[in-house]
Amino acid sequence: MARDYAARCPVSPVRSTWLLAATVLLFARGIAAQKVRVEEELEAYPTESVELRCQFIDGGGRTKLTQVSWIWEPTDGQRDNIAVYHPMYGQSFPNTDFKDRVVFLHNSLENPSIRISNLRMSDAGRYTCEYATYPSGNEQGTTTLTMLAKPKNSAKVVTVQAGTKSVVVAQCEAADGKPAATIKWLASVGGNHSTSSTNGPDGTVTVRSEYRLVPTPTDNGREVTCIVNQRTQERPWDHAMKLSVEYPPSVSIEGYDNNWYVGRSDATLLCLANANPEPTTITWTAVSGPLPDTVVVDGNKLMVKKVDDAVNTTFICEVKNKHGSSKTQISTLVIEERRETTPGPSSGAVIGGILGVLAFIGIIIGTIFFIRKRQEDGEGPPKHKPPPPVKASSSTEMLNKSSGPPTATETAPLSPGEVYYEPTGREPVTNLDDETTGALNGGAPPVLDDSAKYDNVNELTDHNLDPSNHEPPAANISRGESFVSPAMFV
Ligand SMILES: *[C@@H]1O[C@H](CO)[C@@H](O)[C@H](O)[C@H]1NC(C)=O
Ligand SMILES: *[C@@H]1O[C@H](CO)[C@@H](O)[C@H](O)[C@H]1NC(C)=O
């Protein structure tokens, strides 16, 4: 019977093993010794109900039962009688706290099981089913009732300003749980956390954890995840958050190509700012005074309608947000004559070209060889498949695509997260870029020790982001290139 109970009882495997062991032990001690059969341990949640089973096992039937009581011990030493059954006088519920919440399930002295409903956290404790018998005296069995409470979990990000001090950037809380929850953090940023707990009046525990970091602009938008583990949860609760780090602008000017010759009409400068929140104002000025008449400003863009002496000056771009302002300048030297800037082929294009030429020659030789062979073989069916004729046509088809930057030489696929360390990635990016991809994917100082153990997680994250950030595998591109380049030389 007790084993039956144990099987139904919602306890962990370890505990049920103990329960089983305990049961076996009890049986070993002799049937005669244990006449009152109860469950050893029960767990329940507030507002639910629980059945406390009890049964008197009388082998020979010689024992006379007088009365049975349920005694509640919330703490050691305090004993409260909450339910009494007497075959002649009936049922009695002497404790007012339990009076309306306790019932006997059977009107039976041999089976005085009770149900307690509308449970409270404070109902936890030991419940003893105690018989008054003759001739052996009192017989009893005790059930320990553990009240459990699911924690109420929450997490939030704290918006901070970039700085040099370690500050709280995220908080996580598991409130009113029993037993106490544990809180862990997963993060690719190099912070640390501190966790504290406070005991509630009813045995519950509120656990709070704070994630701290010396926030830098690159931490903005990075992810930290709070994970709450607790007995009553089927699985860990987790909450991923994007850090919110605000910082004053940093500015750069793009677009000057060292070729502002007199009469040029499409000279443009771009003022790029990285700021959080977004810049409130972007201002262009000239060091020599007001902006020349030939200049048109549109937001962060400065356009020169027609290059002349007036723009032989230094332009300044100043950007503000609520945390401060920042400016930078560029001297635009106006030259008399247009500079011939046939961009020299980059090494990538040269290599691609050479490979392409080799491949092209290879195909021609192959084709000639094939034709020769075919002529030798006469009219007989070809022993080999002809080389796919698509190659020839593909070289012209691909011509259109050759307008792209000729940088796609054969390279091993980048390992995750590395893409932002490419030299080209060093150029200042727009704020938008930084927030959407750069910040998520790295391009920031390597993670610190604290996060090293979560490396696998970082990889996972980066992998997930991969498809959107990377070009398709390099092999495809380089194949295309090698057919493109010869066409350019022809
Ligand atoms: C957490 O990091 C800060 C600085 O980053 C340091 O001052 C503090 O001692 C660290 N705390 C723990 C518990 O490691
Ligand atoms: C622009 O200014 C530089 C000196 O700052 C001068 O050498 C150059 O001749 C100027 N260009 C024109 C077109 O006047």
Side-chain angles (χ1 to χ4, degrees), residues 262 308-309 312 332-336:
V262 174
D308 59 11
D309 271 354
N312 197 12
T332 50
L333 183 72
V334 171
I335 50 176
E336 297 291 347

Side-chain angles (χ1 to χ4, degrees), residues 236-418:
W237 177 92
D238 61 64
H239 185 84
M241 296 161 272
K242 285 199 163 48
L243 296 183
S244 170
V245 180
E246 299 194 334
Y247 47 91
S250 60
V251 194
S252 64
I253 294 175
E254 301 272 302
Y256 180 61
D257 58 2
N258 256 310
N259 196 10
W260 282 27
Y261 54 88
V262 174
R264 183 174 167 177
S265 61
D266 60 348
T268 302
L269 298 178
L270 270 184
C271 181
L272 301 181
N274 179 16
N276 186 28
E278 287 295 308
T280 46
T281 60
I282 299 178
T283 320
W284 281 103
T285 49
V287 101
S288 48
L291 284 175
D293 291 340
T294 49
V295 161
V296 179
V297 169
D298 177 14
N300 70 336
K301 205 167 169 186
L302 182 147
M303 290 162 288
V304 183
K305 283 181 284 182
K306 194 141 202 177
V307 172
D308 59 11
D309 271 354
V311 294
N312 197 12
T313 181
T314 296
F315 290 106
I316 302 166
C317 177
E318 181 167 18
V319 177
K320 284 191 183 126
N321 75 355
K322 70 172 179 183
H323 294 298
S325 73
S326 169
K327 59 182 166 186
T328 189
Q329 63 186 47
I330 192 163
S331 295
T332 50
L333 183 72
V334 171
I335 50 176
E336 297 291 347
E337 290 284 316
R338 171 183 191 151
R339 220 170 256 159
E340 285 315 316
T341 54
T342 40
S346 73
S347 61
V350 170
I351 295 169
I354 291 169
L355 285 177
V357 168
L358 289 177
F360 196 65
I361 290 170
I363 287 172
I364 290 174
I365 290 174
T367 311
I368 291 170
F369 200 77
F370 174 74
I371 292 169
R372 282 264 173 86
K373 180 109 171 117
R374 214 182 140 136
Q375 284 169 345
E376 278 169 26
D377 287 350
E379 301 299 314
K383 286 182 179 121
H384 306 282
K385 276 191 177 178
V390 280
K391 291 290 184 198
S393 67
S394 83
S395 64
T396 45
E397 267 176 42
M398 296 302 272
L399 193 62
N400 298 336
K401 293 187 181 175
S402 68
S403 53
T407 50
T409 50
E410 190 93 37
T411 50
L414 287 163
S415 64
E418 238 174 63

Side-chain angles (χ1 to χ4, degrees), residues 1-6 8 27 37 39 53 55 57 111:
M1 205 62 183
R3 286 178 62 158
D4 245 21
Y5 289 167
R8 277 180 234 157
F27 271 95
R37 203 60 66 72
E39 287 163 80
R53 295 155 192 252
Q55 210 167 17
I57 310 295
N111 188 343

Side-chain angles (χ1 to χ4, degrees), residues 47-50 98 100-103 115-120 123:
T47 75
E48 289 182 350
S49 58
V50 67
F98 286 86
D100 300 323
R101 300 192 290 135
V102 181
V103 291
R115 180 195 296 125
I116 308 173
S117 47
N118 198 12
L119 283 166
R120 305 161 184 170
D123 291 340

Side-chain angles (χ1 to χ4, degrees), residues 166 190-194 212-214:
S166 180
N192 57 22
H193 68 272
S194 55
R212 284 168 190 278
L213 184 69
V214 178

Side-chain angles (χ1 to χ4, degrees), residues 152-229:
K152 293 178 261 310
N153 302 324
S154 60
K156 67 168 195 258
V157 145
V158 181
T159 297
V160 296
Q161 207 183 327
T164 53
K165 285 206 183 81
S166 180
V167 293
V168 174
V169 294
Q171 295 171 326
C172 192
E173 182 179 278
D176 303 328
K178 191 179 173 196
T182 56
I183 296 183
K184 280 193 306 186
W185 293 88
L186 282 186
S188 57
V189 292
N192 57 22
H193 68 272
S194 55
T195 303
S196 63
S197 56
T198 49
N199 295 322
D202 50 8
T204 60
V205 183
T206 294
V207 182
R208 285 187 194 87
S209 187
E210 293 180 325
Y211 195 86
R212 284 168 190 278
L213 184 69
V214 178
T216 64
T218 50
D219 292 323
N220 184 48
R222 292 196 156 181
E223 207 168 86
V224 295
T225 302
C226 168
I227 299 168
V228 176
N229 272 291

